[in-house]
Amino acid sequence: MPAMSAKEQTRFLHLEDNANDQLLVREMLHGDGLLGEMIVVTTNHDFESALLGPPFDLIISDFSLPSFDGLKALALARKMTPHTPFIFFSGTIGEEVAVESLKHGASDYVLKQRPQRLVSAVRNALRSKEERTRLTQMEGELRQMEERLQIVARASNDIVWEWDIASDRIWLSENFRDVFGLQREEVGSSLARWQSLIHPDDRDRVVAGLMAAVAGRGRVWWSEHRARRNDGSYLNVYERASIIYDRNRKPVRVVGMAIDVTERKKAEGKIREQAELLDKAQDAIIVCDLDRTIVYWNKGAERIYGWSSEEAIGKNARQLLFHGNIPALVFEAGKQLDERGEWTGELSEYTKTDSSVIVQARATLIRDEGGTARSLLIINTDITERKQLEEQFLRAQRLESLGALVGGIAHDLNNALVPIIVGVDILKQQPISSDAQSMIRTMESSARRSSEMIKQMLVFARGGETDKIVIQTSRLVKEMGKIVGDTFPKSIHCRLQADKELWPVLGFPVQLHQILLNLCVNARDAMPRGGTLTLTAENVHLPEQDATRHKVPPGRFVCVSVSDTGTGIAPDVMEKMFKPFFTTKGDKGTGLGLATCQNIIKTHGGFITAQSKVGAGARFEVYVPADNGQTPDTSMISKTPLPSGKGERVLVVDDEEAILAITRAALENFGYEVLTANSGTEAVNFFVKNHATISLLISDMDMPLMDGPAAVQAMRKIEPGLKVIFMSGSEGGNEPELASRIKMDAFIAKPFTNEKLLETVHQVLVKK
């Protein structure tokens, strides 16, 4: 032990009642550089009090003291501070007593007759104390290390092992049984037995790797393999070991750890499965960092947007999906994400081909355990088709509402037209002047035209016509020209050009009218500053070559064209304009106009063509097959006299007084006896009293309180064979549906003519 320096603050406790001896010890220690601090006590009480204070490095004690000897002092010191060295410095101690004191824990004894030995005894005692302290610390640290190792092993199920290369023996930690189901004794201490647990397919690779690391004087060896448990199942094990060498670089030990990674491998498998599921998802799943840089891009995103994961990862999501033109809604979404951690909404984005796609976006901030935002998860669902279907549904709802409105208006208008049309027929049979007859003919023409218009409104509102009719194309073109002239801006000049004798066509008037109106509206929109809109109609013989190109049979066609002097159509738009939902009008257009026109004309056996140049206007030509002439011309059929009655009693029921009056007059003029009722309830009450005399019931369908069908059901309980004619101003064309609801003999759609009324009544009465 090296000599202590004077700077070392060594504390001594000196039990001595002789002042000369106190001074001698002090000077000897101070002269050898050992004295740092000396506490001198003379009594038992002072000695015990000093031991209760701060610890001492050494105790020096006389053996003989008044009322207190050295052995008692030694016993008290061993009790209160057992690790402090204790040296007797006395002139009266004998050999036997000295040996006894050493047995009781004294470090040494020095006779006062030979004081020069005191310094060496002190140094030996301090050195021994230091060695004991160091050894104790090392033992404590070793115990702590072993305890920590066992705690780690127990806490993590990681097995600690050590292979002594010289003896070829292996040591395993206590938790070996918990992991493998085997006692350590069952495995033994042989490395070969430990290696026998390795799966046969992995064993050679693992053993060869370990031996190569040892032979090559490597520092670390690791391996991942399968190891068998006691029940025959296999664990996935990750082993890592350090190779320890002696001073001559000879390997002596290998200390390693075996970690059960079975659950980790399962988790990795689940992660792979989840990744595969994410790729199978139809939604786009995107993960971005907080700067919106894409770090994950699944197969669903590739399908929706067109960019592969390699192309998308590393790009800024906003720049990629919005082409740099970021809408304000995206910035608003960012604010909500910061405040709430999530956002949901609809966004219009772009694909790799620059086409627009509408997505239902769901964005969520991903936070760490401390609550700090780390990334952004985005799940986008392509709802483009759904939005288009919703738009169609809304349009259908509007049309349905329009149909209900039109039906109600048509009912009232038809009721109002019945007295006019029937009254005109009655007046025509009266002797009146030629001027009056001309006026009556004008009234009749206007009333019948109004009736046809109402019928077209009903057909349009109900979604289609059931039977094609012969249409005079010239009349259709003239009507469209009048609409354009009356409703379009005055800056648009409308011109009509038509052959003198246009062939008639067979079709649905409302649908053909819809085609021309759509084309005219498009022409108007192409001329925002005004221009000329030309409607042309001509007869065309379509040759075989042209017919084949348009997939129609050759022959006679009527070509109706709509041309304008507007902005024209770009070539790329020409290629797409007949596709559903394609529009150049932004939010103002649905993209269904031209597609609908094309479908309509196909159902008529025709086709549409278009020619245009940018800045030079556009021309659309509609080709409709001409009528083959087989449709009968009712104008050439000779009219027979109207049938008369023979006094049959007819009950007429309607809530419109004018209809009751004119119907009564028409029937009475032709020999029928007519009774009237202005409600279903009144008709039933009248029928109960007079049912035996009533030959026929003519009833309106829609009436307040009790409608026509309800009144007929009540009457047929009294007279099951009652003959019934229903009439209605809103059910025209729905006779099959009405017949399925209630038994009837005939149906008359309002407004009807005098001729229609009398013929129908006659047919029902003569029918058996």
Side-chain angles (χ1 to χ4, degrees):
M1 171 182 176
M4 290 187 179
S5 66
K7 295 180 180 179
E8 297 183 26
Q9 296 297 314
T10 309
R11 298 186 77 240
F12 294 93
L13 176 61
H14 190 195
L15 176 60
E16 177 64 62
D17 60 345
N18 188 300
N20 292 328
D21 290 340
Q22 293 174 4
L23 180 60
L24 175 63
V25 170
R26 179 184 295 273
E27 290 300 326
M28 289 179 67
L29 295 179
H30 183 74
D32 204 60
L34 290 173
L35 184 61
E37 181 182 4
M38 174 71 78
I39 305 298
V40 179
V41 294
T42 60
T43 66
N44 178 21
H45 179 269
D46 292 342
F47 183 69
E48 185 175 356
S49 297
L51 291 178
L52 292 173
F56 292 94
D57 295 300
L58 181 71
I59 300 172
I60 301 174
S61 174
D62 192 5
F63 189 80
S64 298
L65 295 166
S67 70
F68 185 56
D69 61 26
L71 289 178
K72 290 182 180 178
L74 176 60
L76 183 61
R78 293 281 70 81
K79 178 180 178 181
M80 298 183 65
T81 174
H83 300 296
T84 304
F86 192 101
I87 296 176
F88 279 116
F89 184 62
S90 176
T92 60
I93 187 169
E95 185 176 344
E96 292 182 3
V97 176
V99 172
E100 188 69 20
S101 66
L102 292 176
K103 289 181 180 180
H104 285 81
S107 301
D108 203 348
Y109 66 92
V110 179
L111 295 175
K112 291 182 179 180
Q113 292 82 352
R114 288 181 289 180
Q116 65 275 8
R117 206 174 70 83
L118 178 62
V119 173
S120 61
V122 169
R123 285 191 176 278
N124 289 336
L126 291 175
R127 184 184 299 111
S128 297
K129 178 187 178 184
E130 184 179 350
E131 291 296 332
R132 286 196 302 272
T133 301
R134 184 181 297 111
L135 181 60
T136 301
Q137 290 176 347
M138 291 177 63
E139 290 175 349
E141 291 175 358
L142 182 59
R143 284 194 300 271
Q144 288 180 355
M145 289 178 63
E146 291 177 350
E147 289 174 359
R148 290 170 183 166
L149 198 58
Q150 292 293 349
I151 290 172
V152 170
R154 287 194 296 270
S156 63
N157 281 337
D158 297 342
I159 300 168
V160 180
W161 57 268
E162 181 180 358
W163 174 36
D164 188 307
I165 298 176
S167 64
D168 196 27
R169 297 178 65 84
I170 191 166
W171 172 86
L172 301 169
S173 58
E174 293 180 0
N175 61 338
F176 177 80
R177 180 181 60 83
D178 299 332
V179 177
F180 282 89
L182 289 167
Q183 297 291 345
R184 290 185 293 179
E185 295 75 12
E186 296 180 67
V187 177
S189 59
S190 170
L191 178 65
R193 177 63 177 137
W194 165 246
Q195 292 172 346
S196 69
L197 300 178
I198 301 174
H199 193 283
D201 294 342
D202 300 337
R203 188 178 303 142
D204 291 343
R205 170 180 58 83
V206 176
V207 174
L210 176 58
M211 296 308 172
V214 173
R217 299 188 178 184
R219 299 297 302 178
V220 177
W221 167 82
W222 66 271
S223 173
E224 189 168 329
H225 52 268
R226 291 163 290 175
R228 178 172 50 83
R229 298 184 77 253
N230 189 38
D231 60 5
S233 63
Y234 280 89
L235 300 174
N236 291 98
V237 176
Y238 173 78
E239 292 198 60
R240 181 180 177 89
S242 296
I243 304 171
I244 300 172
Y245 299 87
D246 61 13
R247 295 179 179 178
N248 299 320
R249 288 294 296 166
K250 179 181 178 181
V252 292
R253 289 186 301 150
V254 180
V255 180
M257 181 175 287
I259 304 172
D260 179 7
V261 295
T262 305
E263 293 302 321
R264 191 200 74 188
K265 298 292 286 187
K266 290 180 179 179
E268 289 175 352
K270 288 183 180 179
I271 290 173
R272 285 193 297 270
E273 291 176 3
Q274 291 170 355
E276 291 175 359
L277 290 175
L278 290 178
D279 281 338
K280 291 179 180 178
Q282 296 300 311
D283 293 343
I285 301 176
I286 306 167
V287 179
C288 305
D289 61 20
L290 298 184
D291 292 330
R292 302 304 189 268
T293 300
I294 299 171
V295 297
Y296 177 76
W297 182 271
N298 77 329
K299 295 293 184 182
E302 291 184 4
R303 286 189 291 269
I304 292 175
Y305 298 106
W307 288 287
S308 66
S309 59
E310 292 78 9
E311 293 173 316
I313 291 176
K315 300 291 195 308
N316 184 281
R318 289 177 172 176
Q319 297 296 326
L320 185 70
L321 300 179
F322 298 103
H323 289 189
N325 187 20
I326 305 171
L329 181 60
V330 173
F331 294 104
E332 181 63 29
K335 293 180 181 178
Q336 291 192 23
L337 275 171
D338 294 337
E339 296 172 359
R340 306 176 186 175
E342 58 182 12
W343 178 81
T344 301
E346 293 180 5
L347 294 172
S348 179
E349 299 173 334
Y350 290 96
T351 68
K352 185 177 180 180
T353 59
D354 291 333
S355 59
S356 177
V357 59
I358 303 174
V359 298
Q360 178 71 38
R362 296 173 293 279
T364 304
L365 279 178
I366 307 300
R367 303 180 184 274
D368 60 16
E369 295 179 355
T372 303
R374 294 298 184 190
S375 58
L376 178 64
L377 172 64
I378 303 171
I379 302 177
N380 289 346
T381 304
D382 184 359
I383 60 171
T384 307
E385 184 176 353
R386 191 188 81 189
K387 296 297 290 185
Q388 293 170 347
L389 292 175
E390 286 178 359
E391 180 63 25
Q392 293 182 52
F393 177 71
L394 291 174
R395 293 182 69 232
Q397 281 187 320
R398 290 196 294 268
L399 287 176
E400 185 178 346
S401 301
L402 178 61
L405 176 63
V406 169
I409 296 173
H411 177 270
D412 294 339
L413 289 176
N414 283 329
N415 281 341
L417 286 173
V418 169
I420 299 174
I421 294 176
V422 176
V424 165
D425 287 340
I426 295 174
L427 288 175
K428 286 165 58 178
Q429 299 171 10
Q430 304 299 322
I432 54 178
S433 66
S434 57
D435 291 340
Q437 288 180 351
S438 175
M439 187 177 298
I440 289 173
R441 286 194 294 271
T442 302
M443 292 171 59
E444 180 183 23
S445 175
S446 298
R448 291 182 184 274
R449 177 59 182 153
S450 299
S451 175
E452 289 297 322
M453 291 173 62
I454 295 170
K455 187 181 297 183
Q456 287 187 0
M457 288 169 58
L458 282 173
V459 168
F460 175 79
R462 288 170 179 159
E465 298 154 287
T466 56
D467 297 316
K468 292 180 179 179
I469 63 173
V470 175
I471 303 170
Q472 297 298 328
T473 316
S474 57
R475 181 178 177 183
L476 187 67
V477 172
K478 289 179 181 178
E479 289 177 353
M480 185 53 58
K482 189 173 188 308
I483 291 174
V484 170
D486 292 342
T487 60
F488 281 22
K490 299 303 179 183
S491 59
I492 295 178
H493 174 63
C494 181
R495 296 171 53 194
L496 298 181
Q497 298 175 354
D499 289 352
K500 293 183 178 180
E501 296 183 1
L502 284 173
W503 296 323
V505 298
L506 190 64
F508 302 115
V510 172
Q511 293 184 3
L512 294 179
H513 187 275
Q514 179 182 352
I515 292 175
L516 294 181
L517 182 59
N518 185 277
L519 295 178
C520 288
V521 169
N522 287 347
R524 178 203 65 188
D525 294 341
M527 298 183 290
R529 298 182 179 180
T532 301
L533 189 154
T534 304
L535 281 168
T536 305
E538 56 184 335
N539 297 327
V540 175
H541 285 276
L542 198 66
E544 181 78 28
Q545 183 178 358
D546 292 342
T548 302
R549 185 171 70 255
H550 294 290
K551 300 179 182 179
V552 296
R556 302 193 312 162
F557 283 78
V558 175
C559 175
V560 181
S561 64
V562 178
S563 59
D564 62 71
T565 58
T567 56
I569 306 172
D572 59 326
V573 175
M574 290 279 288
E575 296 175 359
K576 307 174 186 177
M577 63 183 180
F578 285 105
K579 293 182 179 180
F581 306 109
F582 175 79
T583 179
T584 58
K585 299 180 181 179
D587 296 337
K588 296 181 180 180
T590 63
L592 294 173
L594 288 178
T596 302
C597 290
Q598 190 174 57
N599 289 336
I600 289 174
I601 201 61
K602 283 182 178 179
T603 63
H604 284 74
F607 59 92
I608 299 179
T609 64
Q611 302 89 36
S612 178
K613 290 184 179 180
V614 177
R619 176 183 176 90
F620 286 83
E621 295 179 343
V622 181
Y623 289 81
V624 187
D627 182 36
N628 56 17
Q630 297 179 357
T631 305
D633 188 352
T634 55
S635 63
M636 301 300 295
I637 302 175
S638 59
K639 296 183 179 180
T640 58
L642 296 175
S644 298
K646 299 179 180 179
E648 295 92 335
R649 177 174 280 189
V650 179
L651 176 58
V652 180
V653 187
D654 200 299
D655 58 333
E656 295 283 344
E657 290 291 342
I659 293 177
L660 288 177
I662 200 67
T663 304
R664 179 172 188 166
L667 292 174
E668 287 180 345
N669 285 345
F670 281 81
Y672 297 98
E673 182 181 350
V674 181
L675 304 173
T676 61
N678 59 9
S679 69
T681 305
E682 182 181 348
V684 171
N685 291 333
F686 188 87
F687 188 79
V688 170
K689 301 175 183 178
N690 303 278
H691 64 88
T693 64
I694 295 176
S695 303
L696 175 65
L697 172 69
I698 302 176
S699 175
D700 188 22
M701 291 285 295
D702 301 314
M703 293 181 292
L705 300 179
M706 177 181 282
D707 60 11
V712 169
Q713 287 180 350
M715 295 179 192
R716 279 185 172 158
K717 290 180 180 179
I718 303 171
E719 190 65 48
L722 175 64
K723 294 182 177 181
V724 177
I725 299 175
F726 277 120
M727 55 183 177
S728 175
S730 60
E731 298 291 344
N734 286 343
E735 292 90 335
E737 181 184 349
L738 294 172
S740 65
R741 286 160 46 192
I742 186 169
K743 181 183 177 182
M744 68 178 74
D745 295 279
F747 177 83
I748 303 176
K750 295 179 181 178
F752 49 82
T753 63
N754 191 34
E755 178 183 358
K756 178 67 174 178
L757 174 65
L758 294 173
E759 288 180 349
T760 304
V761 169
H762 175 73
Q763 291 172 2
V764 171
L765 288 174
V766 300
K767 183 171 63 175
K768 294 184 180 180

